[in-house]
Short mmCIF file of all heavy atoms in Angstrom, two decimals:
data_model
loop_
_atom_site.label_atom_id
_atom_site.label_comp_id
_atom_site.label_asym_id
_atom_site.label_seq_id
_atom_site.Cartn_x
_atom_site.Cartn_y
_atom_site.Cartn_z
N ALA A 1 -36.41 -101.58 2.56
CA ALA A 1 -35.25 -101.86 1.71
C ALA A 1 -34.76 -100.59 1.03
O ALA A 1 -35.55 -99.74 0.62
CB ALA A 1 -35.63 -102.90 0.66
N VAL A 2 -33.44 -100.47 0.95
CA VAL A 2 -32.81 -99.31 0.32
C VAL A 2 -32.00 -99.80 -0.88
O VAL A 2 -31.20 -100.73 -0.77
CB VAL A 2 -31.88 -98.58 1.30
CG1 VAL A 2 -31.19 -97.41 0.61
CG2 VAL A 2 -32.65 -98.11 2.54
N ALA A 3 -32.23 -99.19 -2.04
CA ALA A 3 -31.48 -99.58 -3.23
C ALA A 3 -30.03 -99.13 -3.09
O ALA A 3 -29.76 -97.94 -2.90
CB ALA A 3 -32.11 -98.96 -4.47
N PRO A 4 -29.07 -100.05 -3.18
CA PRO A 4 -27.67 -99.65 -3.01
C PRO A 4 -27.13 -98.92 -4.23
O PRO A 4 -27.66 -99.04 -5.33
CB PRO A 4 -26.96 -101.00 -2.82
CG PRO A 4 -27.82 -101.98 -3.54
CD PRO A 4 -29.23 -101.49 -3.38
N ALA A 5 -26.05 -98.20 -4.01
CA ALA A 5 -25.37 -97.53 -5.11
C ALA A 5 -24.79 -98.56 -6.05
O ALA A 5 -24.45 -99.68 -5.67
CB ALA A 5 -24.28 -96.61 -4.56
N ALA A 6 -24.67 -98.19 -7.30
CA ALA A 6 -24.12 -99.09 -8.31
C ALA A 6 -22.65 -99.38 -8.03
O ALA A 6 -21.91 -98.54 -7.52
CB ALA A 6 -24.28 -98.47 -9.70
N GLY A 7 -22.24 -100.60 -8.38
CA GLY A 7 -20.83 -100.96 -8.31
C GLY A 7 -20.37 -101.53 -7.00
O GLY A 7 -19.20 -101.93 -6.87
N LEU A 8 -21.24 -101.60 -5.99
CA LEU A 8 -20.86 -102.14 -4.69
C LEU A 8 -21.00 -103.66 -4.68
O LEU A 8 -21.71 -104.24 -5.52
CB LEU A 8 -21.74 -101.55 -3.59
CG LEU A 8 -21.58 -100.07 -3.30
CD1 LEU A 8 -22.58 -99.64 -2.22
CD2 LEU A 8 -20.16 -99.74 -2.87
N PRO A 9 -20.34 -104.35 -3.74
CA PRO A 9 -20.60 -105.78 -3.58
C PRO A 9 -22.09 -106.02 -3.40
O PRO A 9 -22.75 -105.30 -2.64
CB PRO A 9 -19.80 -106.13 -2.32
CG PRO A 9 -18.67 -105.13 -2.31
CD PRO A 9 -19.28 -103.87 -2.82
N ALA A 10 -22.62 -107.02 -4.09
CA ALA A 10 -24.06 -107.31 -4.04
C ALA A 10 -24.34 -108.29 -2.91
O ALA A 10 -23.64 -109.30 -2.76
CB ALA A 10 -24.53 -107.89 -5.37
N VAL A 11 -25.36 -107.98 -2.12
CA VAL A 11 -25.71 -108.79 -0.95
C VAL A 11 -26.98 -109.57 -1.23
O VAL A 11 -27.98 -109.01 -1.70
CB VAL A 11 -25.90 -107.91 0.29
CG1 VAL A 11 -26.32 -108.74 1.50
CG2 VAL A 11 -24.62 -107.13 0.60
N LYS A 12 -26.94 -110.87 -0.92
CA LYS A 12 -28.11 -111.72 -1.05
C LYS A 12 -28.38 -112.38 0.28
O LYS A 12 -27.44 -112.83 0.96
CB LYS A 12 -27.88 -112.78 -2.13
CG LYS A 12 -29.08 -113.68 -2.39
CD LYS A 12 -28.80 -114.68 -3.51
CE LYS A 12 -29.99 -115.58 -3.76
NZ LYS A 12 -29.72 -116.56 -4.86
N LEU A 13 -29.64 -112.46 0.70
CA LEU A 13 -30.01 -113.06 1.98
C LEU A 13 -30.74 -114.36 1.75
O LEU A 13 -31.57 -114.47 0.84
CB LEU A 13 -30.93 -112.10 2.77
CG LEU A 13 -30.41 -110.68 2.99
CD1 LEU A 13 -31.45 -109.87 3.77
CD2 LEU A 13 -29.08 -110.68 3.73
N ASP A 14 -30.45 -115.36 2.61
CA ASP A 14 -31.22 -116.60 2.52
C ASP A 14 -32.51 -116.45 3.33
O ASP A 14 -32.82 -115.37 3.84
CB ASP A 14 -30.39 -117.80 2.94
CG ASP A 14 -30.08 -117.85 4.45
OD1 ASP A 14 -30.67 -117.06 5.22
OD2 ASP A 14 -29.26 -118.70 4.84
N ALA A 15 -33.26 -117.53 3.47
CA ALA A 15 -34.56 -117.46 4.13
C ALA A 15 -34.47 -117.01 5.58
O ALA A 15 -35.42 -116.43 6.12
CB ALA A 15 -35.25 -118.82 4.05
N LYS A 16 -33.33 -117.26 6.22
CA LYS A 16 -33.16 -116.87 7.62
C LYS A 16 -32.52 -115.49 7.78
O LYS A 16 -32.39 -114.99 8.89
CB LYS A 16 -32.31 -117.91 8.35
CG LYS A 16 -32.97 -119.27 8.47
CD LYS A 16 -32.09 -120.23 9.26
CE LYS A 16 -32.76 -121.58 9.42
NZ LYS A 16 -31.91 -122.53 10.19
N GLY A 17 -32.14 -114.90 6.66
CA GLY A 17 -31.50 -113.59 6.72
C GLY A 17 -30.00 -113.63 6.69
O GLY A 17 -29.34 -112.59 6.80
N VAL A 18 -29.42 -114.81 6.54
CA VAL A 18 -27.96 -114.93 6.50
C VAL A 18 -27.45 -114.37 5.18
O VAL A 18 -27.90 -114.78 4.11
CB VAL A 18 -27.52 -116.39 6.66
CG1 VAL A 18 -26.00 -116.50 6.64
CG2 VAL A 18 -28.09 -116.99 7.95
N PRO A 19 -26.49 -113.44 5.21
CA PRO A 19 -26.04 -112.80 3.97
C PRO A 19 -24.94 -113.57 3.25
O PRO A 19 -24.13 -114.27 3.86
CB PRO A 19 -25.51 -111.45 4.47
CG PRO A 19 -24.98 -111.76 5.84
CD PRO A 19 -25.90 -112.81 6.40
N SER A 20 -24.92 -113.41 1.95
CA SER A 20 -23.79 -113.80 1.12
C SER A 20 -23.53 -112.62 0.18
O SER A 20 -24.39 -111.76 0.00
CB SER A 20 -24.07 -115.07 0.33
OG SER A 20 -25.21 -114.90 -0.51
N ILE A 21 -22.34 -112.56 -0.38
CA ILE A 21 -22.03 -111.42 -1.25
C ILE A 21 -21.42 -111.88 -2.57
O ILE A 21 -20.83 -112.97 -2.66
CB ILE A 21 -21.07 -110.41 -0.58
CG1 ILE A 21 -19.71 -111.06 -0.28
CG2 ILE A 21 -21.67 -109.81 0.67
CD1 ILE A 21 -18.64 -110.05 0.09
N THR A 22 -21.59 -111.04 -3.56
CA THR A 22 -20.91 -111.20 -4.85
C THR A 22 -20.11 -109.92 -5.08
O THR A 22 -20.68 -108.82 -5.11
CB THR A 22 -21.91 -111.41 -5.99
OG1 THR A 22 -22.69 -112.58 -5.74
CG2 THR A 22 -21.19 -111.56 -7.32
N ILE A 23 -18.81 -110.07 -5.20
CA ILE A 23 -17.95 -108.91 -5.38
C ILE A 23 -17.74 -108.68 -6.87
O ILE A 23 -17.35 -109.59 -7.60
CB ILE A 23 -16.60 -109.12 -4.68
CG1 ILE A 23 -16.82 -109.37 -3.17
CG2 ILE A 23 -15.67 -107.93 -4.89
CD1 ILE A 23 -15.57 -109.77 -2.42
N PRO A 24 -18.04 -107.48 -7.36
CA PRO A 24 -17.90 -107.21 -8.79
C PRO A 24 -16.48 -107.46 -9.29
O PRO A 24 -15.50 -107.20 -8.57
CB PRO A 24 -18.26 -105.71 -8.91
CG PRO A 24 -19.05 -105.41 -7.69
CD PRO A 24 -18.51 -106.30 -6.61
N LYS A 25 -16.35 -108.00 -10.48
CA LYS A 25 -15.04 -108.24 -11.06
C LYS A 25 -14.29 -106.92 -11.21
O LYS A 25 -14.84 -105.93 -11.68
CB LYS A 25 -15.19 -108.92 -12.42
CG LYS A 25 -13.87 -109.35 -13.05
CD LYS A 25 -14.10 -110.09 -14.35
CE LYS A 25 -12.76 -110.54 -14.97
NZ LYS A 25 -12.97 -111.29 -16.23
N GLY A 26 -13.06 -106.91 -10.74
CA GLY A 26 -12.25 -105.72 -10.84
C GLY A 26 -12.61 -104.65 -9.82
O GLY A 26 -12.21 -103.48 -9.98
N TYR A 27 -13.34 -105.02 -8.78
CA TYR A 27 -13.74 -104.04 -7.75
C TYR A 27 -12.51 -103.38 -7.16
O TYR A 27 -11.59 -104.05 -6.66
CB TYR A 27 -14.55 -104.73 -6.67
CG TYR A 27 -15.05 -103.79 -5.58
CD1 TYR A 27 -16.01 -102.83 -5.85
CD2 TYR A 27 -14.55 -103.87 -4.30
CE1 TYR A 27 -16.47 -101.97 -4.87
CE2 TYR A 27 -15.00 -103.02 -3.30
CZ TYR A 27 -15.96 -102.07 -3.59
OH TYR A 27 -16.41 -101.22 -2.61
N ALA A 28 -12.45 -102.07 -7.22
CA ALA A 28 -11.29 -101.32 -6.75
C ALA A 28 -11.35 -101.12 -5.24
O ALA A 28 -12.41 -100.81 -4.69
CB ALA A 28 -11.23 -99.96 -7.45
N LYS A 29 -10.22 -101.28 -4.60
CA LYS A 29 -10.16 -101.06 -3.16
C LYS A 29 -10.45 -99.60 -2.86
O LYS A 29 -9.77 -98.71 -3.38
CB LYS A 29 -8.78 -101.42 -2.61
CG LYS A 29 -8.39 -102.86 -2.75
CD LYS A 29 -7.01 -103.09 -2.16
CE LYS A 29 -6.58 -104.54 -2.29
NZ LYS A 29 -5.21 -104.75 -1.71
N PRO A 30 -11.44 -99.33 -2.01
CA PRO A 30 -11.69 -97.92 -1.66
C PRO A 30 -10.63 -97.41 -0.69
O PRO A 30 -10.08 -98.17 0.09
CB PRO A 30 -13.07 -97.97 -1.00
CG PRO A 30 -13.14 -99.34 -0.40
CD PRO A 30 -12.39 -100.24 -1.36
N THR A 31 -10.35 -96.14 -0.76
CA THR A 31 -9.40 -95.53 0.17
C THR A 31 -10.10 -94.93 1.37
O THR A 31 -9.47 -94.60 2.37
CB THR A 31 -8.58 -94.43 -0.53
OG1 THR A 31 -9.49 -93.46 -1.09
CG2 THR A 31 -7.75 -95.05 -1.66
N ALA A 32 -11.43 -94.79 1.27
CA ALA A 32 -12.23 -94.26 2.38
C ALA A 32 -13.33 -95.28 2.70
O ALA A 32 -13.65 -96.16 1.90
CB ALA A 32 -12.85 -92.92 2.00
N LEU A 33 -13.89 -95.16 3.88
CA LEU A 33 -14.96 -96.07 4.30
C LEU A 33 -16.16 -95.94 3.38
O LEU A 33 -16.60 -94.85 3.04
CB LEU A 33 -15.37 -95.73 5.73
CG LEU A 33 -16.56 -96.52 6.30
CD1 LEU A 33 -16.17 -97.97 6.51
CD2 LEU A 33 -17.03 -95.89 7.62
N VAL A 34 -16.70 -97.10 2.97
CA VAL A 34 -17.95 -97.14 2.22
C VAL A 34 -19.04 -97.64 3.15
O VAL A 34 -18.92 -98.73 3.72
CB VAL A 34 -17.85 -98.06 0.99
CG1 VAL A 34 -19.20 -98.17 0.30
CG2 VAL A 34 -16.79 -97.54 0.03
N THR A 35 -20.09 -96.85 3.33
CA THR A 35 -21.22 -97.24 4.17
C THR A 35 -22.49 -97.18 3.33
O THR A 35 -22.83 -96.13 2.78
CB THR A 35 -21.38 -96.28 5.37
OG1 THR A 35 -20.16 -96.28 6.13
CG2 THR A 35 -22.53 -96.71 6.28
N GLN A 36 -23.17 -98.31 3.22
CA GLN A 36 -24.39 -98.38 2.43
C GLN A 36 -25.49 -99.04 3.27
O GLN A 36 -25.38 -100.21 3.63
CB GLN A 36 -24.18 -99.18 1.15
CG GLN A 36 -25.45 -99.45 0.36
CD GLN A 36 -26.07 -98.17 -0.19
OE1 GLN A 36 -25.46 -97.48 -1.00
NE2 GLN A 36 -27.29 -97.86 0.24
N THR A 37 -26.51 -98.29 3.61
CA THR A 37 -27.67 -98.87 4.28
C THR A 37 -28.45 -99.71 3.29
O THR A 37 -28.81 -99.23 2.21
CB THR A 37 -28.57 -97.77 4.87
OG1 THR A 37 -27.81 -96.97 5.78
CG2 THR A 37 -29.75 -98.37 5.61
N LEU A 38 -28.70 -100.96 3.65
CA LEU A 38 -29.44 -101.88 2.79
C LEU A 38 -30.89 -102.02 3.24
O LEU A 38 -31.79 -102.20 2.43
CB LEU A 38 -28.77 -103.24 2.77
CG LEU A 38 -27.31 -103.27 2.27
CD1 LEU A 38 -26.74 -104.66 2.43
CD2 LEU A 38 -27.23 -102.80 0.83
#
């Protein structure tokens, strides 16, 4: 597991590994690609 950078959409996995996300309130649209290894 890799700790993600602060401020990114938070990813939660269920028992089978299916992801869901929580997008921070006021999350600004990035102008460049964001890549975060989880």
